[in-house]
DNA sequence: TCCTTAATACTAACATGTTAGTTGACGATT
DNA sequence: AATCGTCAACTAACATGTTAGTATTAAGGA
């Protein structure tokens, strides 16, 4: 028995509901619970050693977020995604990241610029060393830094909540030769525009960078049709 | 007894939890439950004639959305907002509406253009007739139309979920002489740019339009300090 | 053999009982 | 009089019992 691949809730903080929610969310986003997976409240209760109340609350929140589909009085499944939803998520992400990079370009401090520069240099080194998991983390940090440098604490979370389907689909993309190197170049272009305080260049560079994800996701609709709606 | 100013859940559809959620959300967004209001589960149960389960689920969702603050084992209150949160909401709204208007400007059909034109003309007539509630509705419809014309069904809901604090603060703004007429002009500028397919003009016109809200909200921090955090 | 139908088993949804943590008030102590 | 500690009352959080709707399966008829 695989012990259900659910993270132990003991390691998490907050109320029981909160911990169950985090555990399930993590399992779904990491594709350990792939789209279509049937979630039974009873099973979750047993595996996590909690009663049905916190599980019900957690599933209600996941349902509101669109990560699970509840079929009334019958079952609840991990939601599938459609290419339309992924396109929409990409559109929303682009909107937020573009707005963020515009604001940061105009208002950046020297410290912020230094932090971004350091991060991008690190990216280049990691790719050179072929440390791709390290690069992945640095990549995520680059975007998180930008979000936080807007001065608004919540935008990073909004971006997450809007990119849910995107994050899951991204898990399925096969490592592509040369893509990390390209991504570094795109990050460098964004950084250069921020440095020069060239808003138009920053906007276009970010648009292009975010836009690069969709064409790589497109083939999934055929190669992983079981995860798509209809 | 005011019967608590909660909408009767009989008029709503969906599960009990869903209906309770909608009822509470409506009461909070309309400021019938102003920030700081203490919400007792027991009282809600009694008023709506339901048990604690659906109320708990509804409050959990409202808490996740940031509309209520739950103080563990103690109480749950309608959340106050800070000027920072309002600025953030405005930033997010601007990001989404700008991205939407850019996309619509590039891809609009003649029918869409006609619908927007009709709406803006209606706005002008309503302001001329001093029908300000009618104008308010047409204003909202204008923005909803733009969102829907992106071709993405969910963006309108994302906009709502991101503008929660903005919507509540807006309720407190006193009617300002001449503002509706100005808003119509701004809508006309946006429409003109869409017609001409001038992306830069559309972006700037939308940025300006959304930006007009913040300065009108600023005075609230003093005139309604009781609704603000700290 | 295939379709219809009725009974059964299973699930989410709801109701209610129980636990545990917080708050506020009152009284004792300094 | 002021402060600290204790206790009682209240609340959210959790556990569990109950209901009602759905899906599956098996039986019976065409």
């Amino acid at each position: 028995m695989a012990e259900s691949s659910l993270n132990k809730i003991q390691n998490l903080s907050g109320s029981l509901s909160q911990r169950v929610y985090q555990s399930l969310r993590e399992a779904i986003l990491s594709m350990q619970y792939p789209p279509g997976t049937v979630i039974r409240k009873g099973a979750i209760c047993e595996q996590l050693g909690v009663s049905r109340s916190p599980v019900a609350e957690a599933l209600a929140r996941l349902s509101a977020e669109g990560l699970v589909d509840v079929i009334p009085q019958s079952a609840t499944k991990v939601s599938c995604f459609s290419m339309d939803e992924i396109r929409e998520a990409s559109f929303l992400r682009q909107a937020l990241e573009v707005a963020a990079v515009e604001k940061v370009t105009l208002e950046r401090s020297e410290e912020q610029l230094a932090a971004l520069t350091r991060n991008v240099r690190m990216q280049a080194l990691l790719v050179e060393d072929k440390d791709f998991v390290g690069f992945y983390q640095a990549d995520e940090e680059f975007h998180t830094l930008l979000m936080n440098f807007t001065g608004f604490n919540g935008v990073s979370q909004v971006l997450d909540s809007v990119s849910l389907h995107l994050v899951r689909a991204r898990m399925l993309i096969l490592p592509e030769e040369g893509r990390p190197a390209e991504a570094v170049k795109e990050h460098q272009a964004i950084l250069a525009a921020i440095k020069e305080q060239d808003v138009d260049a920053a906007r276009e560079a970010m648009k292009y960078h975010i836009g690069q994800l969709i064409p790589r996701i497109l083939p999934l609709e055929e190669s992983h049709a079981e995860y798509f709606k209809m």
Side-chain angles (χ1 to χ4, degrees), chain A:
Chain A
M1 160 74 75
E3 281 307 321
S4 94
S5 70
L6 270 183
N7 292 333
K8 300 284 179 292
I9 60 176
Q10 287 82 349
N11 306 330
L12 301 170
S13 62
S15 66
L16 262 186
S17 310
Q18 194 71 226
R19 282 180 279 174
V20 173
Y21 165 77
Q22 286 179 37
S23 179
L24 286 172
R25 181 188 155 105
E26 174 59 25
I28 294 172
L29 288 184
S30 68
M31 297 290 279
Q32 285 164 23
Y33 282 5
T37 304
V38 176
I39 297 181
R40 280 175 303 256
K41 279 186 185 174
I44 307 292
C45 295
E46 204 175 313
Q47 289 165 25
L48 295 179
V50 300
S51 79
R52 303 195 301 270
S53 303
V55 176
E57 207 173 285
L59 287 176
R61 282 182 61 185
L62 291 168
S63 169
E65 283 184 292
L67 282 181
V68 302
D69 291 331
V70 178
I71 302 154
Q73 318 290 1
S74 169
T76 120
K77 300 180 181 180
V78 176
S79 67
C80 293
F81 35 73
S82 66
M83 198 52 78
D84 249 12
E85 287 173 317
I86 289 174
R87 277 191 230 270
E88 179 171 318
S90 181
F91 170 78
L92 292 168
R93 186 181 172 201
Q94 200 171 52
L96 297 184
E97 296 241 30
V98 162
V101 83
E102 283 187 16
K103 184 167 163 66
V104 172
T105 297
L106 289 171
E107 305 174 356
R108 76 201 177 40
S109 69
E110 289 303 320
E111 292 78 31
Q112 292 173 343
L113 188 61
L116 290 169
T117 305
R118 216 179 307 132
N119 172 279
V120 173
R121 277 193 192 140
M122 180 67 75
Q123 288 178 35
L125 292 177
L126 289 165
V127 169
E128 228 173 292
D129 291 355
K130 301 197 192 305
D131 178 357
F132 296 121
V133 302
F135 167 73
Y136 183 85
Q137 289 170 352
D139 184 346
E140 295 234 306
E141 190 191 321
F142 178 76
H143 290 277
T144 305
L145 283 175
L146 273 178
M147 292 296 128
N148 291 336
F149 289 168
T150 61
F152 297 125
N153 298 354
V155 289
S156 192
Q157 294 159 39
V158 172
L159 184 68
D160 285 346
S161 75
V162 135
S163 310
L164 295 175
H165 295 313
L166 217 49
V167 167
R168 289 196 291 166
R170 198 179 179 183
M171 287 283 170
L172 300 172
I173 295 178
L174 301 175
E176 219 167 307
E177 185 67 33
R179 174 61 201 155
E182 278 179 28
V184 172
K185 280 184 191 165
E186 289 160 19
H187 289 154
Q188 285 168 340
I190 294 167
L191 176 60
I194 294 174
K195 192 173 181 179
E196 306 294 331
Q197 303 213 332
D198 185 339
V199 179
D200 291 329
R203 171 171 53 238
E204 294 309 316
M206 181 60 86
K207 269 191 193 174
Y208 178 78
H209 177 53
I210 303 294
Q212 288 310 101
L213 190 51
I214 288 288
R216 295 164 63 220
I217 291 179
L218 284 176
L220 295 177
E221 193 164 11
E222 293 187 8
S223 66
H224 290 84
E226 70 273 23
Y227 296 154
F228 283 77
K229 281 186 177 145
M230 311 290 112

